[in-house]
Amino acid sequence: MNNDARKIESMVIAAALYLLAIFFAYRLPFWFSHPLLIWADQSVYLAMADLVLHGQKPYIDFFDFNPPLIIYLNVIPVWLSAVLKQPIILMFDCFVYAVTAVSLCLTAIQVYLNRNTASKSTLLFLLFVPLLCTQTMLFNFGQREHLFVLAYFPFMLMRVLRATEDGIRPPALLSLVTGLFAAVGLALKPQFLVTALIVELALFIECRRAKRGDIWRTSNELTSAAAFIVLYICAFAIFLHDGFVEFFSQSLPLYLHGSKFYRIGFIESLMSLRDFSAIYYCLCAALIAFFVSRKSLYSYIFLVFALVSLVSYLQAGTIYSYRAIPVLSGSYMVLLVALAQFMEKILSGFRTRVAFVVLLILSSTFYCYSQAMNCRFDPSLGEEVSLDLTEIGYPQIGKIQAVSPVLEVILKNSKPSDSVLFLSEGVRPGFPATLQSKRQSASRYLHGMIMPMLLMSIPYNRPKYSAMLQKVVDDYGRDIAAQKPALIFVDQQYIEPLLAQYHFISRYMADYERLTSLEQLRMIVYKRKAEAGGSAP
Amino acid sequence: MTPLEALRFDCAERVLHGARPYVDFWDWSQPFAYAVYMPAVIISGWFKSILGGSGGCSSYECGRFALNFFSSLIMALSLAFSSLVLRKWPEASQSVWPRSLALTGAIALAALVCFKQAGDLQFAFVLTLLPWLLMRFSQNEYGLTFKNILVSITLLAGCGIALDAPFALVLIVGEVYFLLTYGRKAFAPMLYISLALIQVGQLALFSALFRESVEAYRTWIMPMRLSKWFYFDSGLLGTSCPDSSGFLYLFAATMAVAAFCCRGKDASIGRLIGLIATVCVAGFALFMSEGEGLSSDLVIAKFMLVVLMMLCFWALLRLWSPRRPVYKSLASAGLVGALVAGTAACGMIEVRSACTTASMVERLTGPGEQIAVFAQYPDAAYPLLNVLNRQNGSYLLWSRPMRMLCDYQYQQPLPETMFNFQTFLMNKIASQFTTRTASLILIERHQSGLMTFFRLNNALISNYENVGVCTIEGEPYCTYRFEVWRRK
């Protein structure tokens, strides 16, 4: 290695470390200045993790229809919150950043090991994928798809490096850890596993063509990932046997039939203003991949990943934008590969490269600094509200954003020891408000998705699902009698007409009086009467 | 006829009868689109004089024959030029004749798959684009020159771009691909200037013929068309039709295979696959940007996808069985082709459930009478009116501007030009109501509130009476529901 090359290498390593550090840190002030900021799904799994820590069993003591790993994964921030006496939401944010850091470290080690290979510039750009995935998230920060991409990316990179001609074979420990880390992401949802299998198939075909067939024989990462997934399924079946039976006999069939309630049309899923950016990114990525990096193996594999994720997103066809996260992330990967190749072409010579690195450092520093300074107010989070949160353990921070009207009603009309009940048609608006207010959910049905899903499932098996609906209504009634929630929120559009068929309000809510209605959310709020033990206004 | 074919056929007929586009009737197609339909209208007239006289052929059927005849003519022209380009590929590139044959077959197959939208603008455009792409590929890849057909292919591509403004973007994407793949040698200023001159020429001719229409196009049509790119019809929320998800699954799978094939040993076919894949993605991006999910917006992507599939299939066959005799490869390609063609043929069989509009219109009006249809998309009125031999009796041949003008005013006051257009439009509609031009008025569910918003209700109620509701099936709402108003 000549002197210039050494200088460039040291400069690039120093610059990369500096850029990684500032890009990792610049969003932290935003999350610290928004201590209540969390969205529905993430918060309900934290609440479920809390129940698990208190000895309850998923699917038996409380209901859900997702595989259990996400609940157990959320035990970590909940436990840390209890030990460190910090708010759960803050601990969750730190947990997601920790996952990002692990993903970044595993990627960085691979990039460092391959620093003298032909694809070093591409790898250098790919180093920023975990950060790009995390720092561009707002509403979907910490969603399962986000965690999956973070966990799977170092693994996918390792697999691609193994399939390249000059890729350095990773140390056994690194590949074991990478495999285990990826397995956690893959086990979160079945479709993640399918995506990974198709990517493996693409690699298999590629290796057959290039006559490199040994990437499966000595792949510790593959072995450890497979072993973890098998162990996870066995543990679920053995240690959570009743839940396992309940999950496959009740929850899963219900989900398969009932999730149609949340389906949207093809045009909407493709073009509605909220979601379509991911598809555009994917098209851009495909376009640029064919333009610039047709010959790159990285580009090919990442494009396959993005396209398989796109199919998965469209196949689900639901209103949830987080399902497009892998599409977006795959597109970022392809675009970064193309950018690396483009930069390599145009930046020739020592001085040009130095100038580019200096420019990059200056502009990045300026960007990160300005973002960190202006982190207190984000227009997409709505208006700022003054709330006293010291009662529930948050530090006094003056005005805050991302406060739903539900949270304000809960804080004004209940005590921290009270429980609340949401009879709604989704996870929102019960969550994140219940978690933010540190109240307990008064029912084993933490979210209200079950009732509309049962309604959708009835045509498939009338006796089974009608009986199940009756049981759910009775369960809600029993929970009200037992838990005596301070507040009950009832959805006016779907749930109230349904409950009226069972005379629910007259049968189970005699001790409650109408407090207010939240027009925007189409919810009526009932409060426990003072003579029945409700708190005074 | 597809709805857009029927609409433009109607427009071209009006222009041939002396009407001024955008001034005497409203539709936002480019002026050249009407010019393209004029030969079909003229041919239809001939058919009518030959066949209609014996009482065997209605105006609609004559129009349909003429359009199909004209589309087939463009298709034959495109295939002929493509074959002429492919024929010149050098012998040095392996198995040149089966490859040329396979590509020509792929193009013909793609045309067949999209033939349901044969008269739509995207179909015409893609047919004019393909010889251009193949010619430019041959020039750059093999260094070929095309003295005899260069002018014709350029003229054809120039006409294709003139059909609709965004089509130029697809061609530009193809040219960017050439520049990035082959470098400076791919830059062809003379060809670009020729294409630009064709655009200038057709616009100049239009300006000379329709002076008032030019002004209306500049101030009313263009701003509205541009703003449409940032507009999402909220009426589409909750609709499940048309569902092109099957296409998208195929698109994703084919793109993955194309990315694989691009990395193959045969660099030449890899670059060709890259080119077609790029244009296919651009076509799909265009479909997305249109934001309505209409089948007619998907033609470029669908056409290119079929060509791409055939190319990938060819490349894979060569990869896995390099020693297999060529005729076996061709037979396999033929098999896949037959499957795709069969699928396309099945898709062409139209299953329509009963709609009540036709019977309502037939019951309440006679042939040749005027009917005004206020609907967000032309699909509600066309080709129904042509089939029933009724005239569209409204300045707005389809009433998208009403919804758009209304939606824009929720955010901020209208710009002056749009406000002027709104004033002109509302006066025109009100006067049509007052003079009772149309025997029947159909107002679609998504438009009915607009009559109140634009204060047209009084004019409507004083001159027309509500006689019920009717429905019709079509893209993209699945089912359109109308209020029916009859002249008092």
Side-chain angles (χ1 to χ4, degrees):
Chain A
M1 195 184 271
N2 63 30
N3 214 16
D4 265 7
R6 268 207 202 95
K7 271 186 197 170
I8 290 177
E9 189 183 297
S10 321
M11 178 187 75
V12 167
I13 292 174
L17 285 174
Y18 172 75
L19 288 173
L20 286 179
I22 60 166
F23 277 115
F24 185 83
Y26 86 95
R27 286 281 285 177
L28 287 170
F30 169 82
W31 293 104
F32 276 96
S33 58
H34 292 85
L36 292 181
L37 198 56
I38 192 164
W39 277 269
D41 285 14
Q42 295 94 313
S43 59
V44 83
Y45 286 114
L46 286 170
M48 287 179 189
D50 191 33
L51 294 177
V52 167
L53 267 185
H54 286 88
Q56 296 200 22
K57 285 182 181 173
Y59 317 110
I60 304 296
D61 298 318
F62 59 90
F63 175 84
D64 195 42
F65 33 66
N66 274 282
L69 188 63
I70 185 64
I71 301 172
Y72 286 95
L73 209 57
N74 273 299
V75 164
I76 301 170
V78 175
W79 178 77
L80 279 174
S81 159
V83 171
L84 301 174
K85 307 270 183 261
Q86 291 294 325
I88 287 182
I89 297 172
L90 192 63
M91 284 295 102
F92 175 75
D93 296 340
C94 293
F95 169 71
V96 177
Y97 268 97
V99 174
T100 310
V102 174
S103 177
L104 194 59
C105 286
L106 292 174
T107 310
I109 294 169
Q110 293 184 64
V111 173
Y112 184 76
L113 289 173
N114 289 277
R115 67 188 182 282
N116 293 323
T117 59
S119 53
K120 59 184 179 232
S121 335
T122 305
L123 290 171
L124 204 60
F125 275 77
L126 288 175
L127 188 54
F128 290 86
V129 168
L131 285 178
L132 202 56
C133 290
T134 293
Q135 306 294 43
T136 50
M137 293 290 158
L138 181 62
F139 300 102
N140 296 320
F141 184 82
Q143 266 289 7
R144 285 148 292 172
E145 276 73 2
H146 179 201
L147 298 178
F148 158 64
V149 171
L150 288 175
Y152 180 61
F153 176 69
F155 178 88
M156 184 160 57
L157 188 63
M158 188 173 275
R159 303 296 296 153
V160 179
L161 278 168
R162 276 192 193 276
T164 52
E165 266 177 50
D166 58 348
I168 305 291
R169 289 181 66 177
L173 184 64
L174 177 68
S175 53
L176 271 173
V177 173
T178 307
L180 283 175
F181 188 56
V184 175
L186 292 173
L188 288 173
K189 281 185 178 182
Q191 60 264 40
F192 299 160
L193 203 56
V194 174
T195 307
L197 286 175
I198 293 175
V199 170
E200 283 297 316
L201 181 70
L203 276 167
F204 171 77
I205 296 169
E206 176 59 31
C207 289
R208 276 286 301 273
R209 176 167 67 182
K211 297 186 173 59
R212 276 193 298 275
D214 63 341
I215 72 162
W216 282 272
R217 262 179 251 156
T218 52
S219 301
N220 291 325
E221 70 276 9
L222 208 60
T223 317
S224 59
F228 177 89
I229 291 168
V230 171
L231 280 174
Y232 161 63
I233 296 169
C234 293
F236 183 24
I238 296 165
F239 298 115
L240 207 65
H241 181 70
D242 295 345
F244 184 81
V245 173
E246 181 77 11
F247 177 74
F248 281 100
S249 64
Q250 304 288 339
S251 305
L252 202 59
L254 173 64
Y255 179 76
L256 293 175
H257 293 140
S259 58
K260 289 186 179 71
F261 181 80
Y262 302 99
R263 279 190 86 97
I264 50 173
F266 172 74
I267 310 171
E268 196 179 341
S269 68
L270 209 59
M271 293 157 197
S272 66
L273 294 176
R274 192 187 51 197
D275 293 338
F276 73 162
S277 62
I279 319 276
Y280 268 123
Y281 267 107
C282 188
L283 290 181
C284 271
L287 210 57
I288 287 177
F290 285 114
F291 273 160
V292 185
S293 47
R294 272 194 312 282
K295 288 280 172 189
S296 163
L297 177 64
Y298 296 92
S299 184
Y300 162 54
I301 294 298
F302 296 149
L303 186 62
V304 169
F305 174 74
L307 289 168
V308 175
S309 304
L310 177 68
V311 170
S312 172
Y313 164 72
L314 286 168
Q315 194 273 329
T318 53
I319 51 178
Y320 311 121
S321 60
Y322 61 80
R323 284 178 185 266
I325 293 174
V327 186
L328 202 58
S329 309
S331 309
Y332 287 155
M333 293 171 205
V334 177
L335 291 171
L336 283 172
V337 172
L339 188 65
Q341 296 201 345
F342 183 68
M343 285 299 177
E344 203 170 16
K345 263 187 194 171
I346 61 165
L347 297 176
S348 56
F350 180 67
R351 283 186 180 176
T352 330
R353 289 186 183 187
V354 170
F356 172 72
V357 169
V358 170
L359 198 68
L360 191 65
I361 287 177
L362 287 176
S363 55
S364 306
T365 308
F366 174 73
Y367 174 78
C368 292
Y369 178 75
S370 61
Q371 288 287 312
M373 286 298 106
N374 299 316
C375 66
R376 263 198 52 79
F377 185 79
D378 184 328
S380 60
L381 297 176
E383 288 177 10
E384 286 187 311
V385 176
S386 286
L387 268 184
D388 182 15
L389 300 171
T390 48
E391 185 197 3
I392 49 172
Y394 291 99
Q396 183 56 17
I397 46 168
K399 288 187 169 183
I400 49 170
Q401 284 186 288
V403 173
S404 76
V406 173
L407 177 66
E408 289 182 79
V409 171
I410 294 177
L411 289 176
K412 276 180 194 160
N413 296 286
S414 67
K415 301 191 293 289
S417 57
D418 286 339
S419 60
V420 289
L421 177 65
F422 281 84
L423 297 165
S424 59
E425 45 92 30
V427 179
R428 277 178 293 184
F431 282 90
T434 309
L435 186 85
Q436 287 169 329
S437 61
K438 292 196 174 177
R439 305 309 194 250
Q440 294 297 315
S441 177
S443 171
R444 70 182 290 260
Y445 306 105
L446 271 75
H447 54 75
M449 289 170 83
I450 190 165
M451 281 198 283
M453 284 170 83
L454 277 167
L455 278 179
M456 290 302 288
S457 305
I458 283 174
Y460 294 96
N461 189 341
R462 187 165 290 279
K464 178 184 171 182
Y465 291 116
S466 298
M468 218 166 148
L469 183 58
Q470 178 68 56
K471 181 182 173 298
V472 169
V473 172
D474 292 343
D475 282 348
Y476 271 124
R478 269 195 294 275
D479 287 336
I480 291 171
Q483 302 285 332
K484 300 184 172 46
L487 298 168
I488 298 177
F489 294 76
V490 183
D491 170 73
Q492 277 180 294
Q493 194 179 10
Y494 297 101
I495 304 301
E496 196 185 30
L498 174 69
L499 292 179
Q501 294 172 25
Y502 296 88
H503 309 290
F504 188 86
I505 292 179
S506 56
R507 276 171 68 195
Y508 299 112
M509 290 172 57
D511 291 340
Y512 289 82
E513 61 192 352
R514 188 175 166 138
L515 175 70
T516 181
S517 67
L518 303 169
E519 296 296 332
Q520 207 183 351
L521 299 168
R522 287 177 297 206
M523 299 222 82
I524 307 173
V525 188
Y526 292 90
K527 189 179 182 193
R528 195 166 170 80
K529 290 174 185 165
E531 58 268 27
S535 54
Chain B
M1 282 194 215
T2 65
L4 288 170
E5 275 173 54
L7 167 75
R8 292 197 184 105
F9 191 86
D10 185 11
C11 295
E13 209 168 12
R14 283 166 193 256
V15 174
L16 277 176
H17 285 100
R20 295 161 300 173
Y22 322 119
V23 178
D24 295 327
F25 65 89
W26 185 93
D27 167 52
W28 66 20
S29 305
Q30 298 275 101
F32 191 70
Y34 306 135
V36 166
Y37 275 80
M38 280 177 195
V41 175
I42 295 166
I43 297 169
S44 158
W46 296 341
F47 278 149
K48 206 173 169 186
S49 60
I50 297 164
L51 302 169
S54 57
C57 198
S58 69
S59 303
Y60 171 72
E61 281 166 342
C62 287
R64 199 156 62 94
F65 288 150
L67 262 178
N68 282 347
F69 177 74
F70 190 63
S71 306
S72 307
L73 212 63
I74 297 177
M75 207 168 115
L77 213 59
S78 172
L79 267 172
F81 281 126
S82 302
S83 308
L84 285 174
V85 171
L86 292 172
R87 210 165 56 95
K88 287 195 83 177
W89 280 10
E91 291 297 325
S93 74
Q94 296 161 19
S95 59
V96 64
W97 73 265
R99 189 191 283 186
S100 307
L101 200 63
L103 245 174
T104 315
I107 297 165
L109 187 66
L112 183 68
V113 168
C114 299
F115 203 77
K116 199 175 171 185
Q117 271 96 21
D120 280 342
L121 296 183
Q122 282 210 359
F123 186 77
F125 167 68
V126 81
L127 286 175
T128 59
L129 179 73
L130 211 66
W132 167 271
L133 289 177
L134 290 174
M135 180 186 79
R136 296 282 293 131
F137 176 78
S138 311
Q139 282 176 337
N140 293 307
E141 183 70 30
Y142 304 120
L144 297 175
T145 49
F146 297 91
K147 282 180 187 160
N148 300 331
I149 50 173
L150 181 78
V151 176
S152 314
I153 291 179
T154 309
L155 193 67
L156 204 63
C159 291
I161 298 171
L163 289 172
D164 203 1
F167 291 168
L169 295 175
V170 180
L171 189 133
I172 289 170
V173 166
E175 285 303 314
V176 170
Y177 178 86
F178 288 129
L179 286 171
L180 288 171
T181 309
Y182 301 103
R184 277 184 203 159
K185 74 168 185 177
F187 190 65
M190 287 312 287
L191 288 179
Y192 305 148
I193 291 170
S194 310
L195 289 177
L197 281 177
I198 294 168
Q199 310 314 307
V200 174
Q202 58 97 7
L203 284 174
L205 191 68
F206 173 67
S207 311
L209 291 175
F210 304 100
R211 201 167 289 274
E212 284 169 307
S213 299
V214 173
E215 189 57 20
Y217 183 80
R218 195 179 63 79
T219 52
W220 295 345
I221 304 294
M222 276 305 278
M224 193 148 278
R225 281 217 64 174
L226 287 174
S227 64
K228 185 238 173 188
W229 290 72
F230 307 98
Y231 173 83
F232 182 73
D233 172 16
S234 56
L236 293 173
L237 300 176
T239 56
S240 59
C241 119
D243 185 352
S244 309
S245 51
F247 165 81
L248 208 56
Y249 297 150
L250 205 60
F251 173 83
T254 311
M255 283 297 149
V257 176
F260 173 76
C261 292
C262 276
R263 306 184 63 252
K265 277 184 189 162
D266 188 344
S268 173
I269 197 127
R271 283 190 281 267
L272 182 60
I273 286 175
L275 170 68
I276 302 295
T278 306
V279 177
C280 183
V281 172
F284 189 69
L286 205 63
F287 166 78
M288 292 271 298
S289 311
E290 291 292 342
E292 290 161 352
L294 299 171
S295 313
S296 54
D297 295 335
L298 201 56
V299 176
I300 298 174
K302 209 190 273 181
F303 189 101
M304 288 299 171
L305 192 74
V306 176
V307 177
L308 189 62
M309 278 166 71
M310 296 302 286
L311 274 174
C312 289
F313 187 72
W314 178 257
L316 289 177
L317 268 180
R318 287 176 56 76
L319 184 72
W320 269 293
S321 56
R323 286 179 202 159
R324 183 177 286 191
V326 166
Y327 68 87
K328 278 192 183 172
S329 308
L330 277 176
S332 317
L335 183 71
V336 174
L339 281 173
V340 178
T343 316
C346 289
M348 286 168 88
I349 300 166
E350 207 161 320
V351 183
R352 273 190 182 271
S353 53
C355 57
T356 53
T357 306
S359 57
M360 190 78 130
V361 169
E362 278 184 321
R363 189 161 56 81
L364 297 173
T365 62
E369 279 192 53
Q370 298 205 342
I371 295 170
V373 183
F374 288 89
Q376 181 86 343
Y377 296 89
D379 305 50
Y382 293 96
L384 183 82
L385 296 181
N386 311 52
V387 174
L388 298 175
N389 195 18
R390 306 299 195 267
Q391 299 293 314
N392 195 327
S394 170
Y395 164 72
L396 287 177
L397 298 186
W398 54 296
S399 54
R400 166 70 64 83
M402 288 180 71
R403 165 63 60 198
M404 287 178 84
L405 287 168
C406 171
D407 284 353
Y408 292 153
Q409 285 171 72
Y410 280 124
Q411 306 287 328
Q412 58 210 350
L414 285 176
E416 194 186 343
T417 48
M418 277 206 191
F419 183 77
N420 291 342
F421 176 53
Q422 179 180 298
T423 314
F424 168 82
L425 184 62
M426 295 315 145
N427 289 339
K428 195 103 181 169
I429 295 172
S431 83
Q432 282 179 342
F433 285 169
T434 317
T435 53
R436 302 184 185 186
T437 321
S439 320
L440 206 66
I441 295 175
L442 305 178
I443 302 172
E444 196 241 324
R445 184 180 50 157
H446 293 93
Q447 298 270 324
S448 57
L450 299 176
M451 293 293 157
T452 319
F453 182 84
F454 289 114
R455 296 174 190 164
L456 294 167
N457 253 354
N458 283 344
L460 177 71
I461 293 166
S462 0
N463 297 290
Y464 291 85
E465 59 180 346
N466 191 336
V467 289
V469 289
C470 62
T471 60
I472 187 167
E473 298 205 342
E475 287 186 346
Y477 292 148
C478 305
T479 306
Y480 289 81
R481 288 188 179 79
F482 295 99
E483 287 174 10
V484 184
W485 295 76
R486 188 172 54 184
R487 186 161 54 198
K488 279 182 181 169

